[in-house]
Each structure stands twice: as C-alpha cells, then as structure tokens.
Amino acid sequence: MTGQIFGALLAVVLGVGASILYFAGTNWMLDKALVDGVRDGRYVSREHQRSAIRPWLFVAPALFLLGVYLVYPVYETLRLSLFDRTGNVFVGLSNYIWAFRDPEFLQSIGNNLLWLIIVPAM
C-alpha cells in the first residue's frame, strides 16, 4: 500500500515538475528568440509577438497528446479496415461491403442507434 502511495506522489511531483520546466523553458526560449522589429512594413513589438505565440505553447502539449492518443488510432483503424485479417493483403472496401450485408451487424447498429436516441432522452 505504501508503494502505491509513493508511486502516486512521485507521479504527481514529476508531472507538476515537468509542466513547470516546460512552461519556464518555453517562456525563456520566447524571450531569447523574439526581438522588436519591423515586419511587413509595420513595427511589431516583442510583447505583441509573445502574446500571439504564448497561447500556442500552452495548447501544444494537449494537441500533441490528442494526436497521439485519439487521432492516430482512428487513422490506423481506418487504414487497417481496408486490409484482410492478417493486415497484409489490401482488400479495399470489401470488409465494409461484407459488414453491411450481414444481418447481425445491421441489427447491432440499429440497437446502438436506439441506445443513442432513447437513453439520453430519459
């Protein structure tokens, strides 16, 4: 039990520490990289540039994790659905044609649609 508590505390400390290091490091890099100057014929201050870039620095880790854990699996599932069960032979849409001709599959889709419509309405 104490091992689990220690592991949880270590994860929290490491997660918070990594977050602090990330944001401190990116702000430091922003300070070093940006300078006042003229861009496209108008003066752009360093503070204006920072205010345009900083929100993206906060959102970047979340977008990266969404891409890794949500977008990539969807893409890979769709790609693999076009291959046979071994994943070696490209079969195109034949898996979808087979599925939509199977009465049990159509019944399960209908059941799921009923759940999606009826349960939230209750």
Side-chain angles (χ1 to χ4, degrees):
M1 180 67 135
T2 58
Q4 289 177 332
I5 293 173
F6 177 73
L9 287 174
L10 182 65
V12 168
V13 168
L14 288 177
V16 170
S19 297
I20 290 170
L21 285 174
Y22 171 76
F23 292 117
T26 54
N27 279 318
W28 178 79
M29 286 178 18
L30 257 151
D31 288 339
K32 297 296 180 190
L34 299 178
V35 295
D36 292 336
V38 177
R39 186 174 297 153
D40 296 331
R42 62 187 182 96
Y43 177 76
V44 179
S45 71
R46 185 168 86 167
E47 207 46 51
H48 177 72
Q49 294 172 23
R50 285 181 68 179
S51 65
I53 295 172
R54 185 176 284 137
W56 291 104
L57 292 176
F58 285 103
V59 173
L63 290 176
F64 174 75
L65 291 174
L66 279 173
V68 168
Y69 292 106
L70 290 178
V71 176
Y72 175 71
V74 168
Y75 164 76
E76 192 63 16
T77 299
L78 290 174
R79 186 187 72 80
L80 286 173
S81 72
L82 302 174
F83 287 83
D84 69 345
R85 70 178 63 193
T86 63
N88 295 326
V89 179
F90 181 78
V91 295
L93 296 176
S94 65
N95 288 333
Y96 291 100
I97 292 169
W98 170 81
F100 284 104
R101 287 183 180 165
D102 183 24
E104 291 178 8
F105 176 77
L106 294 174
Q107 179 68 42
S108 67
I109 294 294
N111 291 342
N112 279 302
L113 287 174
L114 285 174
W115 274 103
L116 284 170
I117 293 168
I118 294 172
V119 171
M122 293 180 131

